[in-house]
Amino acid sequence: MLPGIGVFGTGDIVRALVPFLRAKGFRVEAVWGRTLEAAENVATELNIPFHTNKVDDVLLRKDVDLVFIICQPDLHAQIAVKALGIGKHVLCDRPAGLCQLEVLKMVHAAQYYPSLISVISHGLRFLPAFVQMKRHLEAGYVGAVNVCDVRVHCGSMIGSQFDWMCSHLMGGGILTMVGSHIIDAVSFVTGQRATRVHGMMRTFTKSTEKINGIRWIDSDDFCSFQMILDGGACVTATLNSHVAGGFVQEVVVCGSRGRLAVRGASLYGQTHTDEREQLLHDGSADDLTHLANRNDNSSARVNSLLPQPYLQGLFRLVGALKEAFATGDGEHGWLKEPVSSAATFEDGQYVQAVIDAVKLSSASRQWEQVTVASDENELNPLMTRLNLPNINMSSLDALSQAPTNRPQPAPTQRKTTATSESHLPWSFATKH
Amino acid sequence: MLPGIGVFGTGDIVRALVPFLRAKGFRVEAVWGRTLEAAENVATELNIPFHTNKVDDVLLRKDVDLVFIICQPDLHAQIAVKALGIGKHVLCDRPAGLCQLEVLKMVHAAQYYPSLISVISHGLRFLPAFVQMKRHLEAGYVGAVNVCDVRVHCGSMIGSQFDWMCSHLMGGGILTMVGSHIIDAVSFVTGQRATRVHGMMRTFTKSTEKINGIRWIDSDDFCSFQMILDGGACVTATLNSHVAGGFVQEVVVCGSRGRLAVRGASLYGQTHTDEREQLLHDGSADDLTHLANRNDNSSARVNSLLPQPYLQGLFRLVGALKEAFATGDGEHGWLKEPVSSAATFEDGQYVQAVIDAVKLSSASRQWEQVTVASDENELNPLMTRLNLPNINMSSLDALSQAPTNRPQPAPTQRKTTATSESHLPWSFATKH
C-alpha cells in the first residue's frame, strides 16, 4: 500500500503537487504551515483532513509515513532529520539546507536509517531529456566532455510579500533555487563533480512596488558561475531572473566528437559528422501537468519558482516514488530500483558544497575549492568564512534542545547500525 | 572621388570583401600577401592589378589612399602605424593588435595624424539591430542597465593548416576574434566600460586530423568572461567554438524596467508592462551579402571567422566609409559624420586592455583591473605579467630599425601637431 503523506509547506508548489500526488494514488493526510491560517487555507482548498503549524503534529501522525518538505529552506534540515529519526521517508525540496553543515546532518541521519527513502527533489534527473542525455554521454556520443554551457533566463522570483525568497540568509535566491538543479544535473549527466568554482552574484532588485518597507531584498537575482569538473571539463552557467516573458533553460554539453543540448524538455544533438542538428528526444509529449489540474493561469511567479521542466521532473520523481512503494516487498515496504537514480542527501550535500563555494567566491573574487566534508569539524573554517554561524548553529541548537511534550512514538521496524548519535541534534532517536 | 584601396591579407574574408568594395565603387589597387604565391593567387582570382609580399610596396603606391589591414594580428600595429605615417587612411581588422602596448602605438599614430581616418572593423556598431539597441537604451527602454548576458556558439575556427589562428601568441583564439567584437559592442550600446574582469579560457582541441605535427594549437577555443562596468552593470559572456552547426549570437541587456536582446541581426524587447516579447527590428531584411557575390558554399570556417552579423556589420562600415569620402569636402577629402560612430583606435585600445586583463585573469584565477594606459611605461608591469615581451618588443624594434631602401614619399597635406615621435617606431614620419 502506498504510504500516507504529510506535506510541509503551503506555497504554490504544494498547490500544484497535491492534486498530482492524489492522481498517482497517494493519500495526503496532513499539511503543515508556518502559520495556522496558512495551513488552514491550504487544507480547505485542497481538502486535506489535518492541518497544523506544529512540525511534530505532522511527523508524529501514524497515518503519515512519507513527508514532503516543500517549505522554506531554513527548516528543511531540522524537519528532515527529525522525520528520519522517527522512521518516516523523506522527499526534501532544493536547496537541501542553508549550508553544507546542515545538509551534512541530514546525510548522517540518512546514513543512520538506510532503510528509509531520503531524496532531494532534483527532478531533472527524471526528465526524459536529461536521462537520454546521460545515456548518450555514457555511450560516447560527444566523446570526451570539454564544456558544459548552461543558461537559464526567467522572470523575477520575488512575490508580492516579503518572504524567505527575498532573503539570502533564509535560502532564497536564484543560485539556490535554480543553480542547485543545474549543479546536480551537470554532475548527473557527466558523472563528474566540481573541484573548483568561481561565482559572481548580484542583487539588482532590492525593492519592488510592494516590498519597499524596512526589509530589503538581499537574495541574488543574477548569478554567473563557473566550475572545473574532476574530469577536466569546464562549466559556465548564467542564471538571470531579469528576463521577463517565460522560462528559458538550455544545457549544452560539448565534447571532442560533438555536442548535446537540452532545451526546455527536449534533447538535441549533433556530432562532427552530422550535417545538421538532430532532435533526439521530443519533450513536448512528456507533459504530465494535466494530472495536476494545474491552472493555466498559474502566477508568473510559480512559473519562475517551479517552471515546466522542474515541475515535470518533480512529477516524474513522484511517479518513481510510487513505483518504489507500489512494487515493494515486505521488509522495507519499498524497492530501491525505481528511485535509484534520485538525488540522495549525499548528492544534496555536494550541491550545497558547490553553492557555498560559489557564494564564497563571489565575496572573495577568487576561485574557491569545493570541499565535501564527512565530519562537521571539517566545516568550521568554511562556516566562519560563510559568516552564517548565528543562523545555523543557533537554530540547530535551539531545535535540538527544545523538549517536546508529546508522547514518543514507538520506533518503527528498521535495520540501523547506530554508532554515534552526536550528529543528530533534532532526532528523536537521541531520546529513545 | 573615392580613394584607391590597398588590401593586406589573402584570407577568405578578403575574398568576400573585395567584390563588396567594388560594388560600392571603390577601386582595389593592390593586395599584399604573406607569401608572393598567396598574393598572386588572390590577385588573379579577384582581378587586382598589383600584388606583392612586401608591406611597403602597397603602402607607397600613389594610387592607394586607404588600406584595409585584414591579415594576421601580429602585423596589424606595424602596418597601421606605417600607413598613417605616410598619410594613408586605415581600416584595421580586430583584434587591433597583440597586446595593449601595440595598440597604444597605433593610438598615438592616429592622434598624430587626426586628419586621417583610422577605424577598427567592429562592424556590429553599424548593424541596425545594435544601433537600435543603443537608441532604445539611451531612451530608457530598460531603465538602469543591470546585466548583459552574451552567448556566442559557433563551430571550430581552426582551418586545415596551421596558421596564426592556431596560435595564442599570434593573436588567434575565440577571445580575440569574437570576444573583441562583444567587448566593443557592449561598451557601444551601454556607454559603459569595464573596470574589472574575470576570465576562464581553455584550449580543448590541441590537434586536428590535419594539424598534428610538431606544432600544436594553443589558441583558446572556449572562453567565459565576466566584466563589471563602470556604471555598475555586470556582464557575462560565453564564447564557445565547440558547437558545430551554425553561428548563434545573443546579446541580452537587462534593466530595471525590461530587457533588449539582439539575436543574430534582429532586435527584440520586452518591458515589464508588456505581455510578450516584441520584435523591434527585423534583421532578415538587412542582408547585403548579395552585393559581395558571396558564394553560398563559403567554407564553414569563414562562417566561424566572419559570421553573418559580423560580415553584415563590416559591409555597413564600408558603406559608411564610402559616404564619408563621397560626400567629403575639400580639406581632408572626407566627412567625419558618416563614420563618427565607428570604433576608433582608442576604442580598440580599450578592447585590447580588456582582452589582456581577461587573459591575465584566466592565468591568475582572480579578478583583474582593466588599465587603459596613456603612456607606454605604464604598461611595463602588465607586459611582464602577460609574458609577451619577446614578441612585442622584438618585433616592434626590428621593424622600427629596419631601413627601407625605397624612396620616401612626399608627405601628404595634413594638419598635424607634432609633439613627440618616440611612440612611432615604424613611422616614416620619424625619418622626414
Side-chain angles (χ1 to χ4, degrees):
Chain A
M1 203 177 79
L2 295 183
I5 290 181
V7 174
F8 289 85
T10 54
D12 293 327
I13 299 166
V14 169
R15 287 182 167 83
L17 187 63
V18 167
F20 184 77
L21 286 168
R22 289 188 174 135
K24 281 283 168 187
F26 286 101
R27 288 164 291 111
V28 178
E29 303 285 2
V31 63
W32 168 95
R34 204 170 54 83
T35 65
L36 204 55
E37 191 192 353
E40 188 175 358
N41 285 343
V42 167
T44 306
E45 183 185 331
L46 299 174
N47 202 20
I48 300 173
F50 178 81
H51 67 269
T52 176
N53 65 342
K54 298 199 177 69
V55 169
D56 292 355
D57 286 359
V58 172
L59 291 181
L60 296 176
R61 288 185 68 90
K62 295 218 167 166
D63 54 5
V64 167
D65 285 312
L66 167 61
V67 298
F68 274 57
I69 308 175
I70 319 276
C71 57
Q72 54 195 85
D74 57 325
L75 300 175
H76 286 184
Q78 48 192 276
I79 298 174
V81 169
K82 252 189 173 175
L84 289 170
I86 55 173
K88 314 280 178 167
H89 305 285
V90 174
L91 178 144
C92 179
D93 199 12
R94 93 298 193 194
L98 289 182
C99 62
Q100 193 187 160
L101 178 61
E102 284 201 347
V103 189
L104 182 56
K105 292 174 191 286
M106 294 167 63
V107 167
H108 286 147
Q111 288 168 341
Y112 198 73
Y113 307 108
S115 63
L116 294 171
I117 288 180
S118 52
V119 295
I120 308 288
S121 72
H122 290 311
L124 293 183
R125 289 173 175 240
F126 288 86
L127 204 66
F130 282 97
V131 174
Q132 291 284 334
M133 181 183 245
K134 181 182 175 67
R135 279 188 203 146
H136 276 84
L137 289 173
E138 286 169 352
Y141 185 94
V142 310
V145 173
N146 293 336
V147 171
C148 302
D149 188 345
V150 180
R151 183 175 56 116
V152 181
H153 285 179
C154 60
S156 174
M157 296 179 154
I158 302 299
S160 57
Q161 289 188 311
F162 189 96
D163 62 10
W164 62 269
M165 263 305 295
C166 303
S167 165
H168 159 68
L169 291 178
M170 290 173 78
I174 196 166
L175 175 62
T176 52
M177 298 308 286
V178 171
S180 57
H181 280 317
I182 298 301
I183 293 163
D184 182 72
V186 166
S187 140
F188 173 68
V189 296
T190 64
Q192 297 186 36
R193 285 192 163 187
T195 55
R196 285 186 298 120
V197 300
H198 172 268
M200 169 171 72
M201 301 165 70
R202 286 291 185 283
T203 308
F204 286 109
T205 305
K206 296 191 173 67
S207 65
T208 67
E209 215 167 281
K210 292 183 175 162
I211 303 174
N212 53 9
I214 48 165
R215 295 202 286 189
W216 294 81
I217 301 163
D218 68 358
S219 59
D220 49 304
D221 51 32
F222 170 78
C223 177
S224 164
F225 67 95
Q226 290 72 44
M227 308 192 283
I228 306 295
L229 304 187
D230 49 16
C234 288
V235 182
T236 184
T238 303
L239 316 175
N240 187 348
S241 70
H242 296 274
V243 192
F247 179 85
V248 175
Q249 178 172 289
E250 185 181 43
V251 177
V252 184
V253 180
C254 305
S256 48
R257 282 199 222 155
R259 55 146 170 126
L260 289 162
V262 176
R263 298 191 195 106
S266 294
L267 176 67
Y268 302 82
Q270 183 169 5
T271 65
H272 291 340
T273 54
D274 292 336
E275 284 214 359
R276 60 191 62 200
E277 189 175 76
Q278 316 284 326
L279 174 63
L280 299 176
H281 176 83
D282 181 359
S284 59
D286 298 339
D287 194 350
L288 298 177
T289 40
H290 59 281
L291 292 176
N293 298 328
R294 196 191 200 195
N295 191 336
D296 284 338
N297 299 324
S298 302
S299 70
R301 193 192 178 208
V302 184
N303 289 326
S304 283
L305 283 182
L306 198 70
Q308 277 301 325
Y310 302 169
L311 195 66
Q312 298 291 340
L314 179 58
F315 283 2
R316 283 170 185 276
L317 169 54
V318 167
L321 277 175
K322 186 206 163 163
E323 287 293 301
F325 285 112
T327 57
D329 60 358
E331 191 184 5
H332 299 149
W334 60 283
L335 267 186
K336 184 166 172 47
E337 201 283 326
V339 287
S340 61
S341 65
T344 63
F345 282 10
E346 280 93 347
D347 294 321
Q349 187 195 348
Y350 158 73
V351 170
Q352 193 64 52
V354 175
I355 288 174
D356 288 356
V358 170
K359 287 182 177 174
L360 282 180
S361 166
S362 183
S364 70
R365 293 187 195 164
Q366 296 188 344
W367 284 79
E368 294 285 349
Q369 296 278 344
V370 176
T371 311
V372 179
S374 53
D375 184 273
E376 292 175 24
N377 293 328
E378 288 176 53
L379 291 172
N380 288 344
L382 203 63
M383 293 299 293
T384 309
R385 290 190 62 202
L386 271 172
N387 221 353
L388 282 177
N390 291 331
I391 294 229
N392 298 289
M393 303 322 289
S394 65
S395 74
L396 300 197
D397 292 350
L399 242 132
S400 65
Q401 286 153 18
T404 77
N405 297 325
R406 320 207 145 266
Q408 300 299 315
T412 52
Q413 292 300 319
R414 58 183 175 245
K415 288 182 191 163
T416 56
T417 48
T419 51
S420 154
E421 294 174 341
S422 65
H423 300 306
L424 306 169
W426 319 292
S427 170
F428 287 95
T430 58
K431 300 179 188 112
H432 284 166
Chain B
M1 202 178 79
L2 294 183
I5 289 181
V7 174
F8 289 85
T10 54
D12 293 327
I13 299 165
V14 169
R15 286 183 168 83
L17 186 64
V18 167
F20 185 77
L21 286 169
R22 287 186 176 138
K24 280 283 169 187
F26 285 101
R27 287 164 291 110
V28 178
E29 303 286 1
V31 62
W32 169 94
R34 202 170 56 83
T35 64
L36 204 56
E37 190 191 354
E40 187 175 358
N41 285 344
V42 167
T44 306
E45 183 185 331
L46 300 173
N47 202 19
I48 299 173
F50 178 80
H51 67 269
T52 176
N53 65 342
K54 297 198 177 68
V55 169
D56 291 354
D57 285 358
V58 173
L59 291 181
L60 296 177
R61 287 184 69 89
K62 296 215 164 167
D63 53 6
V64 168
D65 284 311
L66 167 60
V67 298
F68 274 59
I69 307 175
I70 319 276
C71 56
Q72 55 195 86
D74 57 326
L75 299 177
H76 287 183
Q78 48 191 276
I79 298 174
V81 170
K82 253 191 172 175
L84 290 169
I86 54 172
K88 314 280 178 166
H89 305 286
V90 174
L91 179 145
C92 179
D93 200 12
R94 92 295 192 194
L98 289 182
C99 63
Q100 194 186 162
L101 178 60
E102 283 201 346
V103 189
L104 182 56
K105 291 174 193 286
M106 293 166 62
V107 168
H108 286 147
Q111 289 169 340
Y112 199 73
Y113 306 107
S115 62
L116 294 172
I117 288 181
S118 53
V119 296
I120 307 288
S121 70
H122 290 311
L124 294 182
R125 290 173 174 240
F126 288 85
L127 205 65
F130 282 96
V131 174
Q132 291 283 331
M133 180 183 247
K134 180 181 177 68
R135 279 188 202 146
H136 277 83
L137 289 173
E138 286 169 352
Y141 185 94
V142 310
V145 173
N146 294 335
V147 171
C148 302
D149 188 344
V150 181
R151 184 174 55 113
V152 181
H153 285 179
C154 60
S156 175
M157 297 180 154
I158 302 299
S160 57
Q161 288 187 311
F162 189 96
D163 62 12
W164 63 269
M165 264 304 296
C166 303
S167 165
H168 160 67
L169 291 179
M170 289 174 78
I174 195 165
L175 175 62
T176 52
M177 297 308 288
V178 171
S180 57
H181 280 317
I182 298 301
I183 293 162
D184 182 72
V186 166
S187 140
F188 174 68
V189 296
T190 64
Q192 296 186 35
R193 286 194 162 185
T195 55
R196 285 186 297 121
V197 300
H198 171 266
M200 171 172 70
M201 300 165 71
R202 287 293 186 280
T203 308
F204 286 109
T205 305
K206 296 193 174 65
S207 64
T208 66
E209 216 167 280
K210 292 185 177 160
I211 303 173
N212 53 10
I214 47 166
R215 295 201 287 188
W216 295 80
I217 301 163
D218 67 359
S219 59
D220 49 304
D221 50 32
F222 170 78
C223 178
S224 164
F225 67 93
Q226 288 73 43
M227 309 192 283
I228 307 294
L229 302 188
D230 49 17
C234 289
V235 182
T236 184
T238 303
L239 316 175
N240 187 348
S241 69
H242 296 275
V243 192
F247 178 86
V248 175
Q249 178 172 289
E250 187 181 41
V251 177
V252 184
V253 180
C254 305
S256 49
R257 281 200 221 156
R259 53 144 170 127
L260 289 162
V262 175
R263 299 190 195 106
S266 294
L267 176 67
Y268 303 83
Q270 183 169 8
T271 65
H272 291 341
T273 53
D274 292 335
E275 286 215 357
R276 62 191 61 200
E277 188 174 78
Q278 316 284 325
L279 174 62
L280 299 175
H281 177 82
D282 182 357
S284 58
D286 298 339
D287 195 348
L288 299 178
T289 39
H290 58 281
L291 293 175
N293 299 326
R294 195 191 199 193
N295 190 337
D296 284 339
N297 298 323
S298 302
S299 70
R301 195 194 178 206
V302 184
N303 289 327
S304 285
L305 283 184
L306 197 72
Q308 277 300 323
Y310 301 168
L311 194 64
Q312 298 291 340
L314 179 59
F315 283 2
R316 283 171 186 277
L317 169 54
V318 167
L321 277 175
K322 185 203 162 161
E323 287 293 302
F325 286 110
T327 58
D329 60 359
E331 194 186 2
H332 299 150
W334 60 283
L335 267 186
K336 183 167 171 48
E337 200 284 324
V339 288
S340 62
S341 64
T344 62
F345 282 10
E346 280 92 347
D347 295 320
Q349 187 196 348
Y350 158 73
V351 169
Q352 192 64 50
V354 175
I355 289 176
D356 289 356
V358 170
K359 287 182 178 176
L360 280 179
S361 167
S362 183
S364 71
R365 294 185 194 164
Q366 296 188 348
W367 284 78
E368 296 284 349
Q369 296 278 344
V370 176
T371 311
V372 179
S374 54
D375 183 273
E376 292 176 24
N377 292 328
E378 287 177 52
L379 291 171
N380 289 344
L382 202 64
M383 293 300 293
T384 308
R385 290 190 63 203
L386 271 172
N387 220 353
L388 282 177
N390 291 331
I391 295 230
N392 299 287
M393 302 321 290
S394 66
S395 73
L396 300 198
D397 292 349
L399 242 132
S400 65
Q401 287 153 17
T404 76
N405 296 324
R406 315 204 150 271
Q408 302 297 314
T412 52
Q413 292 300 320
R414 58 184 176 248
K415 288 182 193 164
T416 56
T417 49
T419 51
S420 155
E421 293 175 340
S422 65
H423 300 307
L424 306 169
W426 321 292
S427 170
F428 287 94
T430 57
K431 298 177 189 115
H432 286 167

